[in-house]
Amino acid sequence: MTHDIHIVGGGLAGSEAAWQLARRGFKVRLSEMRGAGHMTPAHQTDGLAELVCSNSFRSDDDEKNAVGLLHHEMRRLDSLVMQAGEKARVPAGSALAVDRDVFSAEVQRALEEHPNVTVVRERIDALPASGPTIVATGPLTAAALAESIGRATGADSLAFFDAIAPIVHHDSIDMAICWKQSRWDKRSGPDSDGKDYINCPMDKEQYLAFHRGLIEGEKTAFKEWEANTPYFDGCMPIEVMAERGVDTLRFGPMKPVGLDDPRTGRWPYAVVQLRQDNKLGTLWNMVGFQTKLKHGEQVRLFRTIPGLENAEFARLGGLHRNTFINSPVVLDRQLRLKGAGHVRFAGQITGCEGYVESSAVGLLAGMMAAAELSGQAWHSPPRTTAMGALLAHITGDAEAQSYQPMNVNFGLFPPLHEVKKKVRKEAYTNRAKEDFGAWLAGMETVPA
């Protein structure tokens, strides 16, 4: 054996796990099927850690937001994903958004240059019978391996749909109609001017016509095996949201609050926002506009949006099925498969949802495996921390019968009912930072 551990899957979780193990001195074989003549329905490149859906890692606010707190904790653990995210960062208000190509290239460069990592382009069709392994194949796990996982877990994999938002060329947007502004002029950093989003305004008549078009538009037909697959609420196609009520979008991705149309000085009736997708600022994605409308229907309908009448699309929306295991039932508290303790699972296949959450679980799996390989006892982060709360939810705290993909949120944390609601978010993050610092101080120092 030329490696200490085998990681299957070169996405966010697998890449992060490989980095954590390699920097602790362990030899890693990282297997990725893209680049070996195989591709998934959603990926477009063979780059490691390719971002398939949005380019946003969501909020970077570590004082009042659970996702931002997760960013903070990962940075303290020398996360490769967070390092690459900073290098690929593009303006996005208080969120952390990245240039997809720069981000993927940075992750791949770091791993390929590390002497302890061997990246192998190969498809793995079955769970290894022995040897330390981390399976991080994500929600688009190849059929043969998914079947092997199903046999090992003794249950059918669960599934949900994940939808992809369209991307528009900047030079095709009519900036005489649209304007740049972050909601409430919120700045993303010291160099931000509070104008990180492009806003396309709608009056009531335009909005109602658009809403009707979403409902009546021709959608992609379901395949037989997709017919009973539920949606994840955090990535709901826009036309499905529209079906929930005429004003649902105006209180969701198309809410106009905090956005002053410079032509009127007032908030529009509704707004479509676009967020920068690459460092050059040539590509912008339609925020919250994941969709299963047919491509031709998307072009027709989205060009009725004021300012997008002549829009040229670098990518149209799409839909793919995501699969995940019932982790609270089949995994132990260290992400190991019950009955096959040499296999750990990490990332979205465990039922965590989101780029950052997937990366965080990969980071934890890497640290757990490193501790085990070193013969050291492992102590998980406290449940009062973002990483600890997410891990606990996945590995047993969630209700197994209704287990569905979950983003990190304060609802996973031990409650602080005694704290006034107005300052409760800050109380959660303050407690988490203190407890995370104590946990980190109690761990053995690892080489940089």
Side-chain angles (χ1 to χ4, degrees):
M1 181 182 287
T2 58
H3 56 272
D4 299 306
I5 187 165
H6 185 192
I7 298 178
V8 185
L12 290 160
S15 295
E16 186 67 67
W19 175 254
Q20 295 296 326
L21 281 152
R23 62 185 290 272
R24 288 167 171 79
F26 297 101
K27 299 288 186 182
V28 179
R29 181 186 183 94
L30 179 59
S31 298
E32 171 53 54
M33 72 175 187
R34 290 175 296 118
H38 308 286
M39 190 57 74
T40 75
H43 286 85
Q44 296 187 4
T45 77
D46 61 6
L48 299 181
E50 179 187 340
L51 303 182
V52 172
C53 299
S54 166
N55 71 322
S56 175
F57 289 171
R58 310 194 323 278
S59 176
D60 206 30
D61 176 4
D62 63 4
E63 295 182 354
K64 296 182 180 180
N65 189 283
V67 179
L69 177 64
L70 189 56
H71 290 185
H72 169 83
E73 293 176 4
M74 292 174 65
R75 287 178 175 123
R76 295 196 66 181
L77 292 171
D78 189 34
S79 162
L80 174 60
V81 164
M82 297 311 296
Q83 291 176 37
E86 285 300 322
K87 292 182 180 179
R89 189 168 196 149
V90 297
S94 60
L96 171 58
V98 301
D99 181 308
R100 301 166 196 262
D101 295 334
V102 173
F103 173 80
S104 175
E106 182 59 29
V107 171
Q108 183 159 316
R109 181 200 61 77
L111 291 175
E112 289 182 339
E113 290 181 359
H114 201 293
N116 288 336
V117 178
T118 301
V119 178
V120 184
R121 302 294 180 162
E122 59 181 351
R123 192 180 74 187
I124 304 299
D125 288 337
L127 290 176
S130 62
T133 304
I134 296 176
V135 178
T137 47
L140 298 171
T141 300
L145 182 56
E147 290 174 6
S148 176
I149 293 169
R151 290 192 295 271
T153 59
D156 293 336
S157 292
L158 304 177
F160 70 102
F161 282 120
D162 197 4
I164 302 171
I167 296 177
V168 181
H169 288 282
H170 180 272
D171 59 9
S172 69
I173 301 170
D174 187 349
M175 295 305 296
I177 296 174
C178 306
W179 78 99
K180 288 188 176 182
Q181 182 190 4
S182 300
R183 200 178 306 279
W184 304 116
D185 300 314
K186 196 162 187 178
R187 298 173 183 267
S188 58
D191 298 326
S192 172
D193 58 3
K195 298 179 180 179
D196 293 344
Y197 292 80
I198 292 176
N199 301 284
C200 308
M202 284 186 176
D203 60 27
K204 184 175 182 178
E205 184 179 348
Q206 291 167 332
Y207 172 78
L208 292 175
F210 182 75
H211 179 269
R212 188 166 55 252
L214 286 172
I215 293 176
E216 296 175 355
E218 190 176 5
K219 282 84 173 176
T220 303
F222 289 121
K223 297 178 181 177
E224 183 178 350
W225 51 268
E226 295 175 322
N228 296 316
T229 304
Y231 290 110
F232 169 53
D233 280 348
C235 209
M236 185 75 64
I238 193 165
E239 62 275 6
V240 176
M241 283 188 278
E243 291 170 355
R244 294 186 170 185
V246 69
D247 287 323
T248 300
L249 296 175
R250 293 183 61 242
F251 289 91
M254 295 179 68
K255 62 185 177 185
V257 298
L259 297 168
D260 304 309
D261 188 336
R263 297 181 303 170
T264 65
R266 300 170 60 86
W267 296 352
Y269 190 78
V271 164
V272 174
Q273 284 198 305
L274 292 91
R275 178 177 54 224
Q276 188 171 328
D277 202 81
N278 64 348
K279 278 190 173 293
L280 293 175
T282 56
L283 299 175
W284 292 68
N285 64 65
M286 299 174 68
V287 178
F289 265 61
Q290 303 92 344
T291 181
K292 61 188 180 75
L293 289 169
K294 288 194 171 182
H295 284 183
E297 196 76 346
Q298 290 181 48
V299 173
R300 183 196 66 77
L301 184 59
F302 295 160
R303 283 181 177 167
T304 68
I305 297 170
L308 300 187
E309 292 88 347
N310 298 305
E312 295 294 334
F313 296 91
R315 185 187 72 185
L316 288 162
L319 185 74
H320 56 273
R321 193 177 95 158
N322 284 355
T323 56
F324 61 99
I325 59 176
N326 196 335
S327 295
V329 173
V330 302
L331 300 184
D332 70 11
R333 290 292 186 176
Q334 290 195 39
L335 298 169
R336 293 175 297 207
L337 185 60
K338 295 176 182 177
H342 64 288
V343 178
R344 278 185 168 84
F345 282 82
Q348 281 187 267
I349 196 170
T350 66
C352 64
E353 171 62 21
Y355 292 149
V356 185
E357 290 87 342
S358 177
S359 305
V361 176
L363 190 158
L364 286 167
M367 291 182 67
M368 291 170 177
E372 188 170 302
L373 288 167
S374 301
Q376 298 175 346
W378 167 257
H379 301 284
S380 293
R383 297 184 186 191
T384 52
T385 66
M387 296 188 83
L390 183 63
L391 177 65
H393 177 79
I394 290 170
T395 59
D397 287 5
E399 175 55 54
Q401 293 299 318
S402 58
Y403 188 57
Q404 283 289 308
M406 179 64 72
N407 294 122
V408 68
N409 62 83
F410 289 129
L412 304 182
F413 291 54
L416 287 170
H417 295 314
E418 69 281 7
V419 178
K420 290 183 179 179
K421 192 172 182 180
K422 192 179 229 181
V423 294
R424 197 172 293 164
K425 291 179 179 178
E426 293 95 324
Y428 278 123
T429 58
N430 288 338
R431 180 183 66 176
K433 289 175 182 178
E434 182 177 346
D435 292 353
F436 191 84
W439 172 77
L440 201 54
M443 296 178 63
E444 186 172 294
T445 304
V446 297

